[in-house]
Amino acid sequence: MSIKDMKTNYNEIKEFAALSNASRRNFLIGSGGLVVGLTLPFNKLALATGDGIKASQQMNAWVTIDPSGLVTIASPNAEMGQGTMTAMPLILAEELDADWSKVVVKQVGPTSKEYGNPFFGGIVHTVASLTTAALFDKVRLAGAQARLFLLERAAKHWKIPVSQLKTDTGFVIHKTSNKRISYGELVTLSREGDKIPVVKKSDLKKTNQYKLIGKNVPRVDIPIKVDGTAEFGMDVVVPGMVHASIIRAPMHGATVKSFQNDNKGEIAKAIKLIKLPYGVAVLAKDLELVLSARKNIEVIWNFPKAGRKYNSETALKEYVKISEDKNVKGVTWWKPYFPQAIKGKKGYLQSALSDSKLTKLSATYQTEHTYHGQMEPMNATALVDKSGKKAEIWAPTQAISVTTFAAAGILKTSPQNIKVNTTFLGGGFGRRAQVDYVVDAVLLSKITKQPIKVVWTREDDVVGGAFKPNSAMHIDAAFDSKGKIEAWSHRTVSESPLKFYAPKLLGKKGEDILVMSGAEQLQYNISAQSADHVIQDNGTRLAPWRGIGHGQNKFASECFMDEIAVSLKLDPASFRLNSANNPRTKAVLEKVIKMSGWGKKKNGVAQGIAYSDYNGSHSAGVAEISLDRKSGKIKVEKYFIAIDAGLAILPDNILAQIEGAVIYGISAALTEKITHKEGIVEQSNFHDYEVMRMSEVPEISIEIIEGADRPSSVGELGLPTVGPAISNALFQLTGKRARTLPMTQDFIKELIMV
Amino acid sequence: MNSINVKVNGKFKKVEVIEEATLLWTLREKLGLKGTKFGCGAGLCGACTVHVNGKPVRSCQISAESIVGKSVTTIEGLSKLGDHPLQKAWVQEQVPQCGYCQSGQIMRAAGLLKKTKSPSRKEIVAYMSTNICRCGTYNRIISAITAAAKEV
């Protein structure tokens, strides 16, 4: 589906369905469609209405320079702590040769198609750790184009050829005379005869010419995040704003049958109630009044029969059975993304799996639903104008363009009529790739014709959450006595998040990248392999979750690599090194082996290793754990991780991202679990959904390897090794194999008693 | 609606609040002090931490009425120019990621430094484990508190 299709199809979007993501095709195939050489017209408005000499000048969609030399760089993506607001402008400033101290960053809406992510069919969508990787060339070219424009203007001004000029940190300089003119002064000169310079990738700087990239420039958003002034969605104030809180359906598809309002007197007068299909909205000027009044309203629901039957505990047992049933057919995982699956002789996989000369091994793994637990609960503010065809939205969202499509769908108008103001996000982790909270605000503003701010409580956020699906993974493999893997067959059984919230983004046969990513073992020498997804549908709410399919699939495959090594009495680290088919995989493994002092045995402490790729990046982790056998509590004492995400734009920020993802991963691996009973989520807040606190945090050592001259994914890269590394360490410590996530105390107690 | 007088960041203000008003929403909605965050509403995460009479409390768990006659400090009042040693250390160590929990973290840490001049790592961990950071900035928080303790 192309961006054009998405726009023309928005009317088909049901009002309450959250469309998201983008072109799967482009997502998977990658960067083949990148524009080389920008042909942007200058902002004609700025040219026509500027007062000639004093006006600032827009160079292209990304950058504007004012006469004082201030360089304003646009940041269209969602800043949720990953540092995009610093990294992307920094890359542009590098090519512009700007003075970083004079750069200001401006959060902008999805107002130019130049901001679109080519991996997602050209929409602005901040997911899958793919902003820097996908827009690297685009912003470099924008910076280079602006620089060339300034060079040409200086050449015209001094009446000398561009070849005699160079730039240095905000100045154009005549090479021989050292005559200098600032970028600020250049924009004040006559604009007559200006041409749009065309730049090519070959005009871009070489890695060894970088002055800003790789230099640990401090993040631009940090000062306002320590004094309380950074504006999150929760902090938005719009004049005349009315607050709303929705008593939400506790199950997907449940509708309001009736409700009883026990509010009396003044409170009853101050609030307004609006019945939506999926809940009852309580509205008032005073937010605290809204939150208080909703406690006195009881809603009776119509539950969908199928959903009511869902019990996550029994479902997962069923998934395990299905995963082991050879008669069940699954959807084959994405072939173009998975070249080795179709390599080799036809039928070799099956014949190797039954070859009596090879050793066979099988195992089944399982993982539970997990919740994002982002610190800022869902919220959004919307103002639909009197015509009902235009709206302005303020939202902490990863799904920036989709917000315009969803609102346009509701208002039956064009996405161009929707203005989005992206605030800071108090965490995203995939949850904000959906737009259900935006839909709330737009619907209520459409009905009331007032600016509406919808705030979810934490309980709304948990009970009405959209989760990572629970899953069972079964792997069969055949290998020779030296550990050469001949055949590897991977199956994942789970629901499909894309089927739930963006079915158009599924592959033709229902392939769901959010479940199946990481089921391919592309970095190991495996003669033949396959992976398939047996799709379940139990009507739960689902979402992408940090690390997507890699979370459960690498848990299974990297535990399984250990199981193979153990069965052959091979060292798990050496076995991986010998199986690796490329130098970058080997390099991260070698690095983490060295960092962790792999192989040293200490009393009561054991190590486990795991490797994972992610969107072209590589990581290898070693968990060093101890175990309190009485309580079954695993303590991760140390975590070592070596990563290679190619060119490191902001190395210190990469360390922060990796460390955060490791902690997110340990938290999920040890305690996090959402359960459903009769279709309803049993948890409600941080007391029964425990996330990691400081007391449990290990010492974390990270090393960065730059194995390429381009950046690749960082934000999720730290996560996939964690679960398997801990489980593999537990095996070293106890001889027991935990094939289940999370490895809760009760589970471990039972496991080690057997 | 009740009318109450409160002292926040050194200034006296009169606010109209509902009977069961909490300090959290009073600060955010009535006084426009948005730096104090709503995280869980149940005293579990610490994002709403402010000081009452110099001690850190979870503002979602105490009533607006209970602070009458007391002095409240929020992140906005911690320093005049955002230059409290903890705030400087937070920038120096590049602590925040999404940043949503950090006002609460800083106010909690300020409470610790009032009580314990140079806390050990163990003391920091014990005291700060009340506050959740889902981005996982914990180790940087420890470094920042350690660095700031040398300045206070």
Side-chain angles (χ1 to χ4, degrees), chain A residues 587-599:
Chain A
V588 289
L589 282 164
E590 277 162 0
K591 180 66 90 179
V592 85
I593 287 167
K594 202 171 163 200
M595 286 163 68
S596 63
W598 176 257

Side-chain angles (χ1 to χ4, degrees), chain A residues 32 56 62 132 179 195 212 247 282 329 357 377 445 523 629 733:
Chain A
S56 60
W62 293 93
T132 309
K179 193 159 61 169
K195 278 181 295 191
L212 296 169
I247 305 164
V282 184
K329 286 257 178 289
K357 291 193 285 296
S445 184
Q523 322 298 344
R629 285 169 193 265
L733 198 60

Side-chain angles (χ1 to χ4, degrees), chain A residues 324-393:
Chain A
E324 293 166 353
D325 184 345
K326 298 283 181 270
N327 295 316
V328 176
K329 286 257 178 289
V331 172
T332 302
W333 174 219
W334 206 252
K335 283 182 182 173
Y337 192 58
F338 199 3
Q340 296 195 359
I342 50 170
K343 254 194 200 168
K345 282 184 210 134
K346 211 176 173 203
Y348 180 70
L349 180 78
Q350 284 314 317
S351 67
L353 283 173
S354 54
D355 186 339
S356 61
K357 291 193 285 296
L358 297 170
T359 307
K360 258 71 91 219
L361 198 66
S362 303
T364 306
Y365 304 84
Q366 53 186 311
T367 68
E368 298 277 358
H369 289 281
T370 50
Y371 162 61
H372 303 81
Q374 76 301 326
M375 292 307 294
E376 180 191 22
M378 295 296 120
N379 66 83
T381 306
L383 172 55
V384 177
D385 82 354
K386 295 254 160 11
S387 74
K389 296 289 175 196
K390 280 188 175 177
E392 184 163 5
I393 294 166

Side-chain angles (χ1 to χ4, degrees), chain A residues 81-311:
Chain A
Q82 84 281 38
T84 190
M85 184 177 252
T86 308
M88 300 308 290
L90 189 87
I91 294 164
L92 189 146
E94 180 73 68
E95 288 295 339
L96 176 57
D97 211 356
D99 178 351
W100 182 250
S101 70
K102 291 190 169 172
V103 169
V104 291
V105 178
K106 191 179 171 194
Q107 182 82 45
V108 295
T111 48
S112 165
K113 66 177 194 220
E114 291 306 318
Y115 301 149
N117 189 318
F119 280 6
F120 307 127
I123 64 169
V124 180
H125 202 60
T126 317
V127 301
S129 311
L130 280 174
T131 304
T132 309
L135 294 174
F136 185 56
D137 286 343
K138 246 190 191 187
V139 297
R140 281 195 302 162
L141 288 166
Q145 186 196 39
R147 176 176 169 274
L148 185 54
F149 173 80
L150 294 165
L151 280 165
E152 286 177 354
R153 187 163 285 167
K156 195 172 64 182
H157 179 59
W158 284 333
K159 297 188 177 61
I160 48 176
V162 168
S163 59
Q164 291 184 18
L165 303 175
K166 62 174 184 179
T167 59
D168 185 17
T169 325
F171 286 87
V172 173
I173 299 164
H174 184 218
K175 287 178 196 168
T176 48
S177 71
N178 256 341
K179 193 159 61 169
R180 296 154 71 82
I181 184 166
S182 73
Y183 288 1
E185 200 179 339
L186 281 166
V187 303
T188 67
L189 299 177
S190 165
R191 298 177 182 191
E192 213 173 293
D194 277 350
K195 278 181 295 191
I196 301 159
V198 176
V199 286
K200 301 181 294 297
K201 268 166 107 172
S202 56
D203 297 333
L204 300 173
K205 282 186 181 177
K206 303 284 173 289
T207 313
N208 62 8
Q209 293 172 298
Y210 291 149
K211 297 180 194 169
L212 296 169
I213 288 175
K215 295 293 185 293
N216 280 335
V217 171
R219 274 178 40 197
V220 298
D221 54 331
I222 283 184
I224 55 169
K225 287 178 174 176
V226 305
D227 67 5
T229 58
E231 190 179 68
F232 294 85
M234 197 63 91
D235 307 328
V236 167
V237 176
V238 174
M241 185 171 85
V242 174
H243 285 97
S245 175
I246 299 172
I247 305 164
R248 316 185 75 82
M251 181 194 302
H252 180 59
T255 54
V256 178
K257 189 176 192 180
S258 62
F259 64 90
Q260 163 122 8
N261 176 11
D262 290 332
N263 286 294
K264 305 252 170 345
E266 264 185 50
I267 296 178
K269 269 185 229 159
I271 60 169
K272 181 174 180 172
L273 303 182
I274 294 176
K275 184 179 157 186
L276 298 168
Y278 59 85
V280 175
V282 184
L283 289 80
K285 281 274 175 194
D286 187 312
L287 173 57
E288 200 152 26
L289 183 70
V290 168
L291 295 176
S292 169
R294 72 174 265 186
K295 291 177 192 156
N296 301 319
I297 298 164
E298 199 183 346
V299 181
I300 310 292
W301 304 97
N302 290 311
F303 288 110
K305 272 193 191 131
R308 200 70 171 148
K309 286 185 196 144
Y310 184 64
N311 183 328

Side-chain angles (χ1 to χ4, degrees), chain B residues 58-79:
Chain B
R58 290 158 190 235
S59 63
C60 76
Q61 293 300 297
I62 61 172
S63 71
E65 206 132 335
S66 74
I67 60 149
V68 173
K70 295 177 183 166
S71 172
V72 177
T73 308
T74 69
I75 186 73
E76 291 89 348
L78 183 64
S79 63

